[in-house]
Amino acid sequence: MSEPHHIIIVGGGAGGLELATRLGGRLGRRKRASITLVDRNRTHVWKPLLHEVAAGSMDIHAHQLDYLAQARWHHFIFCCGALESLDRWRHKITVAPALDEGGVEVIPRRVLRYDTLVLAIGSVTNSFGVSGVAEHAFSLDSADEADRFQGRLVNACLRANYRGSADRSSHLHVVIVGGGATGVELAAELHNTARVLAAYGLENIDPERYVRLSLVNADARILAQLPERISEATAGILGELGVEVLNGEQVVEVTPREVRTKSGKSLPADLTVWAAGIKGADFLGGLGGLETNRLNQFVVTPTLQTTRDPDIFAIGDCAACPWDGHAVPVPPRAQAAHQQASHLFNTIIGRRMRGAPLKPFRYRDFGSLVSLGEYSTVGSLMGFLSGKSLRVEGWFARLMYLSLYKLHLLALHGLLGVALDTLARFLKRGTEPRVKLH
C-alpha cells in the first residue's frame, strides 16, 4: 500500500484549526491522508474574543479548546511546539522543543515530513518601532497575555479598595493605543468591568470613577475602516461612557507610567494596551526562502499557494492574499480566515489530491461589526443585492456579532455540539459572577 498524503498545518488559530478539523473528518477518518496540526500552545481561544478575556467578561478557562481532545475526536494529530525551520527542498519542517513554565524540556525537537504544508501562523502586534512598547505595554496577541492584563486590573482595584478612603482621589489610568475594532471593543468592555466590580465587595472605591480610560488613535477618527457615520456613532457612545478619545495622536514612547505622543502630550498610564496594528512574526521574514512583504506576511497567489513553492499554502493573518478589484490584500479578519479555510479544504480534497488544476480564492466581504459590550453593537453589513453597505446596530447587530463565534464553533463541533454547549452555558450563567474576579 502507498503511504498516505501528509498534510501539515502550522498554526491552530481560527483558520488552521477549522481546516485541520474538517480534513481530519473527511480524510483522516478514512486513512486517506495523515493530517498534523502544529501549534506552540496546547489550547485554542478564538482571537476576536481576547478583548473580553482582558476585560474579565469572558473566562478563558471556560472557552478554551484543548487541541489534543479535538485531534482525538476529529482524527488528526496534534504536535505541540513552535515552527523552528523549513526545508522546502526536502519537504520537512523542524518543530522546536516544548518547554514547561520553568524552561524544562517536555517534548524534544522533532522533524516532520509533508506533502502539503499550510501556514496559518496568524499575526502579532506591530509596535512600529515605538520605544517601550515591548517592555511596558500589554498586547492581545495571546490568551495568556490577555489573562495577565485582566489579573493586573483586578489586583489594582483590590489594592485601591483596601487602602480605602485615604486614597479616594487616586485613579487607575488605563491607556489603549489603537482606534481599530480591538481598541474600541476593549475600552467599552473595561468600562463595564469597572462598573460590575462594584457589586463584589469593593465598597471603599467607586470603580466606575476610579478607572480612567483613554483611547489614543493615530487616525483622524476611530474605526477608520468603517463608514464615517458608524465611526461617529461609536465615538458618541464612548464619550457617554467617559472614555477619553484622542484622535490624530501618534504615540512615540511608552514608559512604565506614561504614554507620550508626537504632539507633546503625556498621558498618565498605570496600564497600557497596544492595539495599533498587526504584522507577521519576525521569524517569518525569509522563512525557507519564501517571499514575504514588509509586514512579514507570505505573498500568495490567488490559489493561496506561496509564490515560490506550490506545495506550500498560507491562509489567515500571515498571508498577503490578492483581493479582486482592490489595491490592498484581503483584510486580516476572522471571516477571511474562515473563508480561506473552507476554500482550501475543498481545494485539497477535490483537486490537489486528484492532481487537478486549482481554483482561485474569492473573498466575499460580509461587512464589519464592533461590539461595545452591553451598551451597543454597531457595524455595516454588505447588501449583495444592492451592492451597498447597510448600517446595523442594537440587538440585531449584537445577534449578528454573536453568530460569528457560533459559526466558528459550528465548524469545530457540529450542530449538536454547539447546541449542547450553548444550553450548558445558559444554565450555568446564574452560578457565575459576571466578570472574572481572579
Side-chain angles (χ1 to χ4, degrees):
M1 294 179 64
S2 61
E3 191 175 357
H5 191 88
H6 289 268
I7 303 171
I8 295 180
I9 303 164
V10 181
L17 183 56
E18 288 183 19
L19 180 60
T21 298
R22 297 185 65 183
L23 287 175
R26 179 66 66 88
L27 300 178
R29 181 193 298 270
R30 303 172 185 176
K31 309 298 182 182
R32 292 179 54 199
S34 171
I35 297 97
T36 301
L37 176 67
V38 178
D39 196 280
R40 67 171 67 239
N41 301 304
R42 298 184 185 183
T43 57
H44 162 83
V45 175
W46 200 48
K47 194 170 183 178
L49 295 179
L50 289 184
H51 71 279
E52 295 188 26
V53 175
S57 51
M58 172 176 284
D59 187 346
I60 178 178
H61 303 292
H63 287 265
Q64 62 188 5
L65 181 149
D66 193 301
Y67 286 126
L68 282 173
Q70 187 74 1
R72 166 86 169 114
W73 297 330
H74 295 278
H75 310 280
F76 64 89
I77 301 166
F78 172 61
C79 177
C80 184
L83 175 64
E84 188 173 74
S85 64
L86 164 64
D87 186 340
R88 294 196 290 117
W89 295 268
R90 296 182 180 180
H91 277 214
K92 293 180 179 180
I93 66 168
T94 301
V95 179
L99 310 177
D100 65 10
E101 295 82 356
V104 178
E105 182 177 285
V106 178
I107 307 174
R109 180 176 286 102
R110 291 135 289 165
V111 176
L112 308 178
R113 189 187 70 80
Y114 67 86
D115 297 302
T116 298
L117 176 63
V118 180
L119 300 172
I121 302 174
S123 60
V124 297
T125 296
N126 190 349
S127 67
F128 301 99
V130 174
S131 174
V133 173
E135 297 83 2
H136 309 302
F138 290 87
S139 65
L140 299 186
D141 290 335
S142 67
D144 288 342
E145 185 79 349
D147 195 44
R148 192 164 67 90
F149 170 84
Q150 192 271 337
R152 286 277 298 276
L153 176 69
V154 171
N155 288 342
C157 291
L158 291 175
R159 281 196 301 268
N161 182 70
Y162 177 77
R163 289 194 299 262
S165 58
D167 283 325
R168 285 180 183 272
S169 60
S170 65
H171 300 286
L172 177 68
H173 295 274
V174 180
V175 176
I176 303 169
V177 182
T182 299
V184 169
E185 289 177 331
L186 178 61
E189 287 287 352
L190 286 177
H191 180 275
N192 180 61
T193 294
R195 180 172 58 86
V196 173
L197 279 174
Y200 292 97
L202 302 185
E203 67 277 357
N204 293 328
I205 63 170
D206 181 354
E208 189 168 359
R209 295 182 179 180
Y210 168 67
V211 179
R212 296 292 182 90
L213 297 170
S214 299
L215 183 65
V216 184
N217 178 37
D219 294 319
R221 59 184 177 89
I222 59 174
L223 302 177
Q225 76 279 10
L226 294 179
E228 187 172 354
R229 63 184 185 278
I230 295 176
S231 174
E232 293 176 351
T234 305
I237 295 173
L238 292 179
E240 293 174 1
L241 298 180
V243 179
E244 180 186 19
V245 178
L246 295 90
N247 289 316
E249 292 288 349
Q250 182 180 345
V251 174
V252 295
E253 185 181 11
V254 177
T255 74
R257 308 299 296 179
E258 288 181 325
V259 171
R260 298 167 183 165
T261 69
K262 189 175 182 179
S263 67
K265 286 186 171 62
S266 180
L267 306 174
D270 300 295
L271 296 173
T272 301
V273 180
W274 190 270
I278 63 170
K279 66 173 184 176
D282 291 338
F283 83 95
L284 298 185
L287 178 70
L290 297 176
E291 182 184 3
T292 54
N293 63 11
R294 61 182 180 83
L295 295 177
N296 296 328
Q297 296 172 305
F298 297 110
V299 180
V300 299
T301 67
T303 58
L304 302 180
Q305 293 166 295
T306 55
T307 54
R308 295 175 183 170
D309 196 322
D311 294 325
I312 301 178
F313 297 77
I315 63 174
D317 291 1
C318 74
C321 177
W323 189 5
D324 290 343
H326 295 78
V328 298
V330 171
R333 298 175 183 169
Q335 61 172 303
H338 172 75
Q339 292 179 40
Q340 289 170 344
S342 296
H343 175 84
L344 196 50
F345 168 75
N346 293 323
T347 291
I348 291 174
I349 66 169
R351 294 184 170 272
R352 182 165 172 81
M353 296 285 289
R354 300 175 183 176
L358 308 188
K359 287 186 176 181
F361 168 69
R362 295 282 185 264
Y363 173 64
R364 298 185 67 190
D365 186 4
F366 291 99
S368 300
L369 294 170
V370 178
S371 170
L372 301 178
E374 295 187 353
Y375 307 109
S376 183
T377 300
V378 298
S380 63
L381 299 178
M382 294 302 296
F384 290 103
L385 295 179
S386 64
K388 299 179 180 179
S389 63
L390 309 173
R391 175 179 172 177
V392 292
E393 57 183 313
W395 67 267
F396 177 73
R398 181 63 177 172
L399 181 63
M400 296 298 295
Y401 184 88
L402 294 174
S403 70
L404 297 176
Y405 183 41
K406 293 301 180 184
L407 287 174
H408 174 62
L409 295 179
L410 189 65
L412 301 181
H413 304 303
L415 183 59
L416 179 60
V418 173
L420 293 176
D421 179 75
T422 302
L423 177 60
R425 296 189 190 284
F426 175 77
L427 295 176
K428 197 176 180 181
R429 285 182 62 184
T431 63
E432 294 180 332
R434 294 172 59 191
V435 297
K436 188 168 177 283
L437 302 176
H438 61 280

